Amino acid sequence: MNNWTLSRLTGPSDERPEPFSQHSHPDDVSASHHDMLTTVIGSKEDSLASIIHNYKHGFSCFALYIAYLGEKKHDDPTLVTGSHHDMLSSIIGSKEEAKASITYSYKHGFSGFAAMLTEDQAEDLAELPEVISITPNQKHELMTTRSWDFLGLKNEPPSELLQRSNYGEDIIIGIIDTGIWPESKSFHDHGYDAIPSRWKGVCQLGEAWGPSNCSRKIIGARYYAAGLDKANFKKNYMSARDNNGHGTHTASTAAGVVVEGVNLHGLGAGVARGGAPRARLAVYKVGWEEGGAGGSYLATAAVLAALDDAIHDGVDILSLSLGVDENSFGALHAVQNGITVIYAGGNRGPRPQVLYNTAPWVITVAASKIDRSFPTAITLGNKQTLVGQSLYYKLKNNTESRFESLVNGGNCSREALNGTSINGKVVLCIELTFGPIGRIFEDVFAGVIQGGASGLIFAFYTTDVLLSTEDCKGIACVFVDNEIGYQVATYIGSERLPTVKIEPASSITGNQVPAPKVAIFSSRGPSIKYPTVLKPDIAAPGVNILAAKEDAYVFNSGTSMAAPHVAGVVALLKALHPHWSHAALKSAIVTTASTKDEYDTPILAEALPRKVADPFDYGGGNINPIGAADPGLIYDIDPKDYNKFFACQIKKYEICNITTLPAYHLNLPSISIPDLRHPINVRRAVTNVGEVDAVYQSSIESPLGVKMTIEPPVLVFNASKKVHAFKICITPLWKVQGGYTFGSLTWYNEHHTARIPIAVRITIQDFYADRFPAFLLFCVWLLMIRGIYGSRKLYIAYLGEKKYDDPTLVTASHHDMLTSVLGSKEEALASIAYSYKHGFSGFAAMLTEEQADNLADLPEVISVTPNKQHELLTTRSWDFLGLNYQPPNKLLQRSKYGEDVIIGMIDTGIWPESRSFSDHGYGPIPSRWKGVCQLGQAWGPTNCSRKIIGARYYAAGIEKADFKKNYMSARDMIGHGTHTASIAAGAVVDGVSVHGLATGVARGGAPRARLAVYKVIWNTGNSLQLASAGVLAALDDAIHDGVDILSLSIHADEDSFGALHAVQKGITIVYAGGNDGPRPQVIFNTAPWVITAAASKIDRSFPTTITLGNKQTLVGQSLYYKLNNESKSGFQPLVNGGDCSKGALNGTTINGSIVLCIEITYGPILNFVNTVFENVFSGGASGLIFGLYTTDMLLRTEDCQGIPCVLVDIDIGSQVATYIGSQSMPVAKIEPAHSITGKEVLAPKVAIFSSRGPSTRYPTVLKPDIAAPGVNILAAKEDGYAFNSGTSMAAPHVAGVIALLKALHPDWSHAALKSAIVTSASTKDEYGMPILAEALPRKVADPFDYGGGNINPNGAADPGLIYNIDPMDYNKFFACKIKKHEICNITTLPAYHLNLPSISIPELRHPIKVRRAVTNVGEVDAVYQSAIQSPLGVKIDVEPPTLVFNAAKKVNTFKVSMRPLWKVQGEYTFGSLTWYNEHHTVRIPIAVRITIRDFYADVA
């Protein structure tokens, strides 16, 4: 017979009276609880009936409260409960009401209870001295096989660890989750012996759960329904049976028995088993489906009850895939009773500071990906085969795959699909934004499926949502990256009747798929609750895990799947080392974790964009069960030691406060120092669990900016010396407001390596400037086109090279051609909007679709394409770049400040009266200038000058523009063009600031350069618009006019052929790269003949002091100021608005108060800002403290309507929330911002909004080319000055530098100028550490973030060598025509052979050779040596390795050989080739992706 206790109730166990029932079944323990609550609540039988009725129907004035009393004072549970009764009797009253009110009594692991109380009763109870805390019950969400083989725990033949641990036999794993499906084959008890005698649990009966559902495998079962308000129990089994599937999946992952032949419709086929297949399971159901919510929920009180019961029952390990930080004190009691507690870390990645369950006494788990992929072939109608990822399958009776109609649905929003027939068709959706994965997919999926589509090809920034395709209801849902999506879009645009065929998915496993990687959804550290504790602890498989659900097997992903993997491993270790403590087990898995994959390359973390993983991604690394079984040394902790560092109480916003003793002194297998200002000593001790006689050496990898020493550096162990203490001295090397940097400490000998991760953040002030990067709300100008000509639209006809030198003859040929189509010359003249006659031949004209088709059939016409809409992309900076004005920098002097170089600005116009455009001291306009000063509204002859030497505007092609909102001239009403022009070439203006912030000299990079203005952007009321036709006309005119440089802060890829003509006429073109970062593959303007600019941050910050009512001072970032006549800042009421959505603010009075808003999700910044502004300001708030995933945007003071808007990160936001929750009347005071500059602010960094590569249009061309300042740039706007941010600001910085170089080297070509800035760019900051890129989370920058690096004007002036290109060479590689979705197709000659100052190989399968040539522009006699940094997985050789130059040999060619070292479907890795001598360093970036198939498993 089994030795569990059977509960023959349909409700909860007899120890837990059901609050929803009118009957209770008290044993002696519960009776004592009732006595206690009787004394609190009072009254008689009629009162009892009333309370039961109220409880059953919702309790309008009662709520469930948790009373925590700390350590129990008696071993006998009945005495513990009796003491509760005695306590409450002094406050309330009646035994009968107590029986109805009680839900849970905590009497095994600790003392406390949960009960229905009024607010007054709860407050009275909280006043008693024995009560530590009273807190309302909280709701929480659940987070949601190959993996064990991948971890080295093979079943056939069995791994040594499985054998030695006897498969975890008789270890009891408690699963606190949604229950279990006992009939699953994963839980059969065949061959199991009797239940361990130490087991004291019960098998609680209930709905669809009888005695036989417990077994020798599932040895116990309980369920906990109380505490969930108004749950729709029709959707639940009132028992431990799992109707959600989550708990069954996690239980089978941890301890499922061996089940052969498992698959999901043929995918993932193999053996399903848990990590410890002979372990026992104890089930604690706390997760319930709540009506209409669409998710599973649980209550704090129930989880506490489960923890308490688990302590009593005798489990060894607890696995909780839940977000329940509020229960950390319950987990502490469990740990102090010898139980190992494992928590899922949460699924809110990749943003930082969102990790759940970070108490130092639990193991917090991140999710990683395994070496399995599900390639899905996509065959286009032109026979091109592409491969995505899916779980698509066909049933046996289904027909074979066939070709179906294919349509482009854009981003598949309702607006994008409106008017598009998708019924019965495969729809391509390309999502160019970013945000929570599930939410975006659900929106797309809903629109596509409702439209009756037969399939979906979804281009997205990640395919870590593969499991969502299970919801596709039988249609093919395939994920691809943007590069593949672009190829599909290109095909659709080139065909009248595009078709596609999608094959079912297949499975591949093994080293072809690089793994592990941290999953994109996995929540990241640091912990905001316990910053002195490094979290997560470990990563484990959590992506596409095949495990049990009901009677079948399904895929699931989440840290929920990772936690039971750790539980399974710990069960094996527990069986092998039964006397090891929880801390020893935790230490073993952390110190032996893998930080490299099987190719010995660093583990990567999927992020925005992808990055090398660090401890905030994966803790110690990816779990290594074999290594953990024999760790050599362990960092042990007496469980009572936690009490020395943490005072555990339940409060509304915090549980266990760190005491005055810093927690980094706790003997954890990691170190986190969040505030390193002075040298500190951290102590640790290790216990030898390996060979008795052993000597260990230390190896230190110091975090950047930190020096670490260890004493003693060698540890000697023997039979009498099993424990050694040591001291780590950590010293800051810099005085800077830094970000976290990472290192490690390793003890090693010939048998063992025990490594602990270290995270350190250097600070010098009471705020972290690093996390409040000074940043203005960047300009993203949305451009929309609407028809005004009925059935006619503006079309662009491209005719190639012009056939006449005389522009009038070119235009006349256009008129004649259109006359042949339209029938009359008059109609042709009226139809033409622009004639392109200077740089190339073509025109833009209003035509019907039929007329456009007829025009396209003419033999002289290369292509006809509709006019397109585009977007605008939107001083300290020049000093930061080394171009100091006082005293003047050498480059400025030698180039004469860019004198007489002509910069053309294609933008929103200019405000000519600005002081930045004064022509004082200028000589005559250069004689080569052929441009005009086009007059117009508010623009007369005097508005052009010797500074602004030309002005044109282009309004045609903007349909239904609201011209009342525009100057019909080159005058700038918007401010964007004025700002960019003053950045590039503004004159010197002293004493510029914005209300005292950023005071200094405003000037352009080339302050003596001339400006030519081409206005192409117009305000149409709700948006800004420009047209392809207008931009082409501006390019054409600029070629004619004689500009030297063109700066375009717009998105106009479609105009790349026009830019090519300009480059071939000797003009340098600089484009902004776009503001769609940090997601990859969204870089704009990537033609190889232009310079594409990313945005970086400068060394300036705007700290803003926030003082709370408890005198705590915090610092955020803002542009808040007070006018001279305003009163000083004072304290004002402070309220917590949650995420400040309408729902969160409903019922909250915010008028006259400062509102705290914390946005814990992520996505495009403006989406959050606009919503928060609208809701907060409409409520009359007096201030805003906004906690967001990034502070790379300072809210413009004009947007803030005169009130302080302060940005903080989630850490600071959490501290403010904690203060609010602890006070009855919280207040705060916000001081005006001030400016700091210099080395205290770590810079440069790539801005978070800056669009990232690779280029989807030209993958063999590395983009962006260069990064330049684009964050909080102070420049001209009308008669004043304003901050602005964006790659729009970066592009004119590059244009200004180019102007100086052009003045210094007037004979250099466009390619030479581009080469000079790329090869001399900075890849390190002024402290010598790698430049970082703001991302989700932050990462070390790579070429897809910043190209060659951050622009270095002084280095570019004397680059030594240049990579030159004959402009006509571009024609050898690119066939430039206008089509609907592409312009310049790469020809059969791969573009990586073009002599660019970079190399990009998107598909390296076999060894290849790339040729380059360099021209000496330095010392005549020079010798250069080569230095190669090969991308990981690639072997690079250069022949010859040395280049010798002299008067007769100015150009040298060389050959770069690249060979893949692995056979793997890889991701991009990065390297460089540098030519150097004693005077010059000439470096080009290299990006390589190894592939072995026609798909990139990397994006799987």
Side-chain angles (χ1 to χ4, degrees):
M1 285 291 293
N2 295 333
N3 64 344
W4 59 73
T5 302
L6 293 179
S7 169
R8 303 191 179 279
L9 303 175
T10 57
S13 80
D14 55 337
E15 295 183 307
R16 310 241 181 258
E18 162 64 289
F20 296 96
S21 170
Q22 296 191 28
H23 304 281
S24 60
H25 302 269
D27 59 9
D28 293 338
V29 176
S30 294
S32 62
H33 293 173
H34 302 157
D35 291 342
M36 173 164 86
L37 277 178
T38 297
T39 64
V40 178
I41 299 174
S43 231
K44 308 287 182 186
E45 298 293 337
D46 56 344
S47 179
L48 170 61
S50 173
I51 287 180
I52 293 173
H53 177 83
N54 286 340
Y55 196 6
K56 184 174 181 180
H57 295 282
F59 270 100
S60 60
C61 59
F62 284 74
L64 188 63
Y65 287 86
I66 299 168
Y68 177 49
L69 312 180
E71 289 288 346
K72 58 183 183 178
K73 294 185 170 57
H74 309 282
D75 291 331
D76 185 343
T78 60
L79 296 178
V80 176
T81 305
S83 67
H84 300 167
H85 303 163
D86 295 340
M87 176 191 300
L88 288 171
S89 63
S90 63
I91 296 178
I92 305 180
S94 158
K95 186 177 289 187
E96 291 76 10
E97 292 190 41
K99 290 178 180 178
S101 179
I102 192 169
T103 60
Y104 301 115
S105 174
Y106 313 132
K107 54 191 177 292
H108 301 301
F110 51 93
S111 179
F113 55 88
M116 298 298 297
L117 302 170
T118 65
E119 186 174 355
D120 288 342
Q121 290 167 345
E123 289 176 356
D124 291 343
L125 189 59
E127 296 296 326
L128 295 181
E130 306 95 315
V131 176
I132 293 176
S133 61
I134 299 289
T135 187
N137 178 54
Q138 299 288 321
K139 284 186 181 179
H140 306 284
E141 292 190 16
L142 289 176
M143 308 172 180
T144 270
T145 116
R146 174 66 189 164
S147 55
W148 293 111
D149 286 348
F150 176 66
L151 293 177
L153 293 176
K154 290 184 168 49
N155 189 53
E156 288 296 338
S159 74
E160 182 182 358
L161 175 55
L162 281 173
Q163 294 181 75
R164 290 175 60 206
S165 66
N166 204 17
Y167 300 85
E169 188 165 55
D170 287 351
I171 298 298
I172 303 171
I173 302 177
I175 304 290
I176 300 181
D177 212 295
T178 64
I180 200 165
W181 193 267
E183 293 83 4
S184 170
K185 289 183 286 185
S186 288
F187 308 125
H188 74 69
D189 64 354
H190 179 70
Y192 278 71
D193 293 328
I195 292 169
S197 58
R198 68 184 187 280
W199 177 247
K200 300 176 184 177
V202 301
C203 183
Q204 184 179 348
L205 306 187
E207 183 182 358
W209 190 285
S212 63
N213 291 126
C214 289
S215 64
R216 288 172 293 181
K217 179 68 177 179
I218 302 173
I219 64 174
R222 300 178 185 262
Y223 65 101
Y224 309 83
L228 289 173
D229 301 334
K230 299 181 180 178
N232 183 354
F233 289 111
K234 293 179 182 179
K235 293 192 174 185
N236 294 278
Y237 291 105
M238 289 303 295
S239 68
R241 182 171 292 277
D242 179 16
N243 62 309
N244 174 281
H246 191 273
T248 301
H249 201 280
T250 56
S252 64
T253 300
V257 302
V258 177
V259 181
E260 296 184 355
V262 169
N263 66 77
L264 180 65
H265 306 292
L267 295 174
V271 174
R273 58 190 169 93
R278 298 288 292 175
R280 316 287 183 138
L281 285 166
V283 179
Y284 302 87
K285 178 175 174 178
V286 298
W288 302 84
E289 291 192 23
E290 201 161 15
S296 295
Y297 293 87
L298 53 103
T300 310
V303 178
L304 279 172
L307 285 164
D308 185 47
D309 281 338
I311 294 170
H312 167 268
D313 294 347
V315 302
D316 299 302
I317 299 161
L318 279 171
S319 178
L320 299 91
S321 293
L322 319 168
V324 282
D325 270 344
E326 285 77 2
N327 301 327
S328 54
F329 79 95
L332 175 57
H333 284 286
V335 168
Q336 290 176 336
N337 279 275
I339 299 173
T340 296
V341 181
I342 300 158
Y343 270 105
N347 301 328
R348 292 188 175 178
R351 56 159 296 178
Q353 298 183 315
V354 292
L355 200 64
Y356 290 158
N357 307 315
T358 58
W361 40 87
V362 305
I363 298 175
T364 308
V365 186
S368 61
K369 301 162 71 173
I370 62 174
D371 60 343
R372 180 167 57 198
S373 181
F374 299 98
T376 305
I378 302 166
T379 304
L380 304 179
N382 62 1
K383 303 301 173 63
Q384 183 182 6
T385 299
L386 305 167
V387 180
Q389 292 280 320
S390 80
L391 297 179
Y392 173 52
Y393 62 90
K394 278 184 174 286
L395 299 176
K396 291 181 179 179
N397 58 351
N398 280 27
T399 59
E400 292 185 359
S401 299
R402 57 186 175 80
F403 281 95
E404 299 176 274
S405 297
L406 175 63
V407 297
N408 190 336
N411 67 358
C412 290
S413 62
R414 289 183 179 178
E415 294 78 9
L417 291 176
N418 187 30
T420 302
S421 174
I422 63 174
N423 186 47
K425 299 175 183 178
V426 177
V427 183
L428 170 67
C429 304
I430 300 181
E431 179 52 66
L432 292 178
T433 185
F434 65 97
I437 302 166
R439 186 181 306 169
I440 291 175
F441 180 76
E442 286 169 11
D443 292 343
V444 167
F445 182 73
V448 170
I449 298 302
Q450 288 172 8
S454 61
L456 168 65
I457 300 173
F458 191 20
F460 199 39
Y461 67 85
T462 179
T463 56
D464 274 5
V465 288
L466 208 52
L467 64 97
S468 299
T469 60
E470 287 184 344
D471 301 326
C472 288
K473 301 179 180 178
I475 75 167
C477 296
V478 188
F479 281 93
V480 298
D481 72 356
N482 279 358
E483 185 177 328
I484 300 294
Y486 177 75
Q487 293 181 52
V488 177
T490 297
Y491 162 71
I492 295 173
S494 67
E495 299 288 332
R496 286 193 173 183
L497 294 169
T499 59
V500 68
K501 178 173 68 173
I502 300 176
E503 299 289 352
S506 60
S507 302
I508 63 167
T509 59
N511 58 13
Q512 294 181 17
V513 182
K517 291 185 191 136
V518 179
I520 196 164
F521 57 77
S522 188
S523 291
R524 313 299 163 98
S527 167
I528 59 173
K529 192 177 292 288
Y530 307 109
T532 53
V533 178
L534 198 155
K535 289 286 180 170
D537 295 296
I538 196 74
V543 178
N544 295 335
I545 304 302
L546 186 61
K549 181 180 181 181
E550 296 185 353
D551 297 321
Y553 291 82
V554 299
F555 289 107
N556 224 333
S557 295
T559 54
S560 287
M561 283 66 249
H565 274 90
V566 175
V569 171
V570 170
L572 299 180
L573 301 181
K574 189 82 172 174
L576 190 63
H577 304 289
H579 301 301
W580 278 11
S581 67
H582 162 73
L585 293 164
K586 177 178 178 177
S587 173
I589 64 172
V590 172
T591 60
T592 62
S594 303
T595 60
K596 295 186 176 181
D597 65 18
E598 54 192 322
Y599 290 102
D600 202 36
T601 67
I603 290 173
L604 299 177
E606 298 290 0
L608 285 172
R610 179 183 292 126
K611 61 187 282 287
V612 174
D614 62 50
F616 288 159
D617 299 311
Y618 64 7
N622 203 62
I623 197 166
N624 173 12
I626 308 302
D630 185 19
L633 303 177
I634 58 172
Y635 292 76
D636 212 353
I637 299 174
D638 181 337
K640 299 298 183 185
D641 282 354
Y642 295 114
N643 297 337
K644 299 176 183 178
F645 295 88
F646 300 92
C648 284
Q649 301 180 12
I650 314 179
K651 294 183 179 180
K652 190 172 183 181
Y653 286 95
E654 60 184 27
I655 305 91
C656 298
N657 296 320
I658 297 173
T659 65
T660 54
L661 187 60
Y664 48 70
H665 289 302
L666 189 62
N667 200 45
L668 293 165
S670 59
I671 298 173
S672 178
I673 314 292
D675 193 2
L676 181 66
R677 304 188 188 194
H678 312 288
I680 63 169
N681 291 321
V682 176
R683 299 184 182 277
R684 287 291 187 274
V686 286
T687 303
N688 183 22
V689 294
E691 302 79 15
V692 173
D693 297 310
V695 178
Y696 283 83
Q697 307 287 331
S698 61
S699 174
I700 297 171
E701 180 189 352
S702 294
L704 288 170
V706 174
K707 181 182 178 182
M708 293 200 319
T709 58
I710 188 163
E711 184 61 39
V714 178
L715 303 180
V716 180
F717 296 90
N718 53 43
S720 60
K721 185 67 172 178
K722 295 182 178 180
V723 179
H724 259 298
F726 58 90
K727 180 176 66 178
I728 307 160
C729 181
I730 303 176
T731 304
L733 298 178
W734 307 328
K735 188 175 182 181
V736 63
Q737 290 295 113
Y740 279 99
T741 59
F742 305 99
S744 63
L745 165 63
T746 303
W747 293 106
Y748 68 95
N749 62 18
E750 64 272 28
H751 303 295
H752 299 102
T753 299
R755 175 188 176 277
I756 65 170
I758 298 172
V760 177
R761 179 172 57 193
I762 300 173
T763 63
I764 56 174
Q765 300 186 29
D766 289 327
F767 67 96
Y768 307 138
D770 156 70
R771 290 156 52 206
F772 310 106
F775 200 85
L776 194 72
L777 185 61
F778 56 90
C779 300
V780 178
W781 311 98
L782 299 177
L783 311 169
M784 304 165 63
I785 290 186
R786 301 168 187 158
I788 61 171
Y789 291 97
S791 60
R792 294 193 175 205
K793 295 180 181 178
L794 190 64
Y795 286 85
I796 299 168
Y798 177 48
L799 313 180
E801 289 290 340
K802 59 184 183 177
K803 292 185 171 56
Y804 309 99
D805 290 331
D806 185 345
T808 60
L809 295 178
V810 178
T811 301
S813 68
H814 299 165
H815 296 163
D816 293 340
M817 179 182 293
L818 256 188
T819 299
S820 70
V821 174
L822 301 182
S824 84
K825 195 152 197 171
E826 290 73 16
E827 191 174 351
L829 288 170
S831 176
I832 287 184
Y834 300 111
S835 178
Y836 312 131
K837 53 191 177 291
H838 302 300
F840 50 93
S841 179
F843 56 87
M846 297 300 299
L847 303 171
T848 66
E849 186 174 356
E850 183 180 0
Q851 290 167 342
D853 289 341
N854 292 337
L855 182 64
D857 290 335
L858 297 179
E860 308 96 307
V861 176
I862 293 175
S863 60
V864 175
T865 187
N867 178 55
K868 292 288 184 181
Q869 61 188 35
H870 304 288
E871 295 185 4
L872 273 178
L873 313 173
T874 264
T875 76
R876 176 65 190 169
S877 57
W878 293 112
D879 287 346
F880 177 67
L881 293 178
L883 292 176
N884 292 31
Y885 188 74
Q886 289 296 340
N889 160 271
K890 186 177 180 181
L891 172 55
L892 283 173
Q893 293 182 74
R894 290 175 59 208
S895 66
K896 296 183 179 178
Y897 302 88
E899 189 167 62
D900 286 350
V901 173
I902 303 171
I903 303 176
M905 305 299 300
I906 299 181
D907 212 296
T908 65
I910 200 165
W911 193 266
E913 293 82 4
S914 170
R915 290 179 291 166
S916 288
F917 308 125
S918 166
D919 66 353
H920 179 70
Y922 278 71
I925 294 171
S927 60
R928 70 184 188 277
W929 176 247
K930 300 177 184 177
V932 302
C933 182
Q934 184 178 356
L935 305 186
Q937 184 183 2
W939 189 284
T942 59
N943 290 126
C944 288
S945 64
R946 287 171 296 179
K947 179 69 174 180
I948 303 173
I949 63 174
R952 298 179 185 263
Y953 64 98
Y954 307 83
I958 300 298
E959 304 171 18
K960 292 186 178 176
D962 182 359
F963 292 116
K964 294 179 181 178
K965 294 183 177 291
N966 293 278
Y967 291 107
M968 289 304 295
S969 68
R971 183 172 291 277
D972 180 14
M973 176 171 278
I974 298 161
H976 190 274
T978 302
H979 202 276
T980 56
S982 66
I983 291 170
V988 177
V989 181
D990 290 317
V992 168
S993 72
V994 175
H995 303 292
L997 293 175
T999 302
V1001 174
R1003 59 191 168 92
R1008 298 288 290 176
R1010 314 287 183 140
L1011 285 167
V1013 178
Y1014 302 87
K1015 178 175 174 178
V1016 298
I1017 298 160
W1018 302 86
N1019 189 342
T1020 61
N1022 297 322
S1023 63
L1024 302 175
Q1025 294 181 5
L1026 62 94
S1028 306
V1031 177
L1032 278 172
L1035 285 165
D1036 186 49
D1037 282 338
I1039 294 170
H1040 167 269
D1041 293 347
V1043 302
D1044 300 302
I1045 300 159
L1046 278 171
S1047 179
L1048 298 92
S1049 292
I1050 58 177
H1051 171 202
D1053 269 343
E1054 284 76 4
D1055 303 327
S1056 55
F1057 80 95
L1060 176 56
H1061 283 287
V1063 168
Q1064 290 175 336
K1065 300 296 183 184
I1067 299 174
T1068 296
I1069 309 281
V1070 183
Y1071 267 106
N1075 300 328
D1076 286 333
R1079 59 159 297 177
Q1081 299 183 312
V1082 292
I1083 187 90
F1084 292 160
N1085 306 318
T1086 58
W1089 40 87
V1090 306
I1091 298 173
T1092 309
S1096 61
K1097 299 158 67 175
I1098 62 174
D1099 60 343
R1100 181 168 57 198
S1101 182
F1102 299 96
T1104 304
T1105 302
I1106 303 167
T1107 305
L1108 305 179
N1110 61 0
K1111 304 299 173 66
Q1112 182 181 4
T1113 299
L1114 304 168
V1115 179
Q1117 289 280 319
S1118 80
L1119 296 178
Y1120 172 53
Y1121 63 91
K1122 278 184 173 288
L1123 299 176
N1124 292 334
N1125 58 352
E1126 288 187 83
S1127 59
K1128 291 184 178 180
S1129 300
F1131 282 97
Q1132 295 175 287
L1134 176 63
V1135 298
N1136 191 335
D1139 65 359
C1140 290
S1141 62
K1142 287 184 179 179
L1145 291 176
N1146 187 30
T1148 302
T1149 300
I1150 63 175
N1151 187 47
S1153 298
I1154 298 171
V1155 182
L1156 170 68
C1157 305
I1158 299 182
E1159 180 53 65
I1160 57 175
T1161 185
Y1162 65 95
I1165 300 170
L1166 284 178
N1167 292 0
F1168 300 131
V1169 173
N1170 293 339
T1171 300
V1172 167
F1173 270 24
E1174 179 182 352
N1175 296 337
V1176 170
F1177 295 155
S1178 63
S1182 61
L1184 169 65
I1185 300 172
F1186 195 7
L1188 193 59
Y1189 71 84
T1190 179
T1191 54
D1192 259 14
M1193 46 158 290
L1194 290 188
L1195 310 181
R1196 295 179 300 186
T1197 52
E1198 57 263 38
D1199 295 329
C1200 291
Q1201 302 179 16
I1203 72 170
C1205 300
V1206 187
L1207 286 186
V1208 298
D1209 73 356
I1210 303 299
D1211 187 351
I1212 300 295
S1214 177
Q1215 294 183 52
V1216 177
T1218 296
Y1219 162 73
I1220 295 173
S1222 68
Q1223 302 290 316
S1224 58
M1225 297 182 67
V1227 294
K1229 178 173 65 174
I1230 299 175
E1231 299 289 351
H1234 64 278
S1235 307
I1236 62 168
T1237 59
K1239 288 189 175 182
E1240 293 182 4
V1241 182
L1242 209 56
K1245 291 189 189 130
V1246 179
I1248 197 166
F1249 60 78
S1250 187
S1251 290
R1252 313 299 163 97
S1255 166
T1256 58
R1257 188 181 297 272
Y1258 306 110
T1260 52
V1261 178
L1262 197 156
K1263 290 287 179 170
D1265 295 296
I1266 196 74
V1271 178
N1272 286 345
I1273 304 303
L1274 184 61
K1277 182 179 180 181
E1278 295 185 352
D1279 295 323
Y1281 290 83
F1283 289 109
N1284 231 332
S1285 296
T1287 55
S1288 286
M1289 284 67 247
H1293 274 91
V1294 176
V1297 172
I1298 294 291
L1300 299 180
L1301 301 182
K1302 189 82 172 173
L1304 189 62
H1305 304 288
D1307 298 324
W1308 277 11
S1309 67
H1310 162 72
L1313 294 164
K1314 177 177 178 177
S1315 172
I1317 64 171
V1318 172
T1319 61
S1320 63
S1322 304
T1323 60
K1324 294 185 177 180
D1325 66 16
E1326 54 195 340
Y1327 289 101
M1329 68 178 285
I1331 290 173
L1332 300 178
E1334 297 291 355
L1336 286 173
R1338 179 184 291 130
K1339 62 188 282 288
V1340 173
D1342 61 50
F1344 288 160
D1345 299 311
Y1346 63 7
N1350 204 61
I1351 197 166
N1352 172 12
N1354 295 311
D1358 184 19
L1361 303 177
I1362 58 171
Y1363 291 76
N1364 213 352
I1365 300 175
D1366 180 337
M1368 302 313 291
D1369 281 353
Y1370 295 115
N1371 297 338
K1372 299 176 183 177
F1373 295 88
F1374 300 91
C1376 284
K1377 299 178 180 180
I1378 313 179
K1379 294 184 178 179
K1380 188 173 183 182
H1381 286 277
E1382 59 180 29
I1383 304 92
C1384 298
N1385 296 319
I1386 296 174
T1387 64
T1388 53
L1389 189 61
Y1392 48 70
H1393 289 300
L1394 190 62
N1395 200 45
L1396 293 165
S1398 59
I1399 299 173
S1400 177
I1401 313 292
E1403 191 173 338
L1404 182 66
R1405 303 189 187 193
H1406 311 289
I1408 64 169
K1409 295 178 180 179
V1410 176
R1411 298 183 184 277
R1412 288 290 187 272
V1414 286
T1415 302
N1416 182 22
V1417 294
E1419 303 80 16
V1420 174
D1421 297 310
V1423 178
Y1424 282 83
Q1425 305 292 329
S1426 61
I1428 299 168
Q1429 181 188 356
S1430 293
L1432 289 170
V1434 178
K1435 177 72 164 61
I1436 294 184
D1437 294 303
V1438 175
E1439 183 61 37
T1442 302
L1443 301 179
V1444 179
F1445 297 91
N1446 53 44
K1449 184 72 171 176
K1450 294 184 178 180
V1451 178
N1452 264 306
T1453 60
F1454 58 91
K1455 184 172 58 181
V1456 183
S1457 299
M1458 300 187 190
R1459 178 166 57 89
L1461 298 179
W1462 311 323
K1463 189 176 181 181
V1464 64
Q1465 288 295 113
E1467 57 280 324
Y1468 280 99
T1469 58
F1470 305 99
S1472 63
L1473 166 62
T1474 304
W1475 294 105
Y1476 68 94
N1477 62 19
E1478 63 272 27
H1479 302 296
H1480 298 102
T1481 298
V1482 186
R1483 176 187 176 277
I1484 65 171
I1486 299 172
V1488 179
R1489 177 169 59 188
I1490 300 173
T1491 63
I1492 56 175
R1493 300 189 181 205
D1494 289 326
F1495 69 95
Y1496 306 140
D1498 153 68
V1499 300

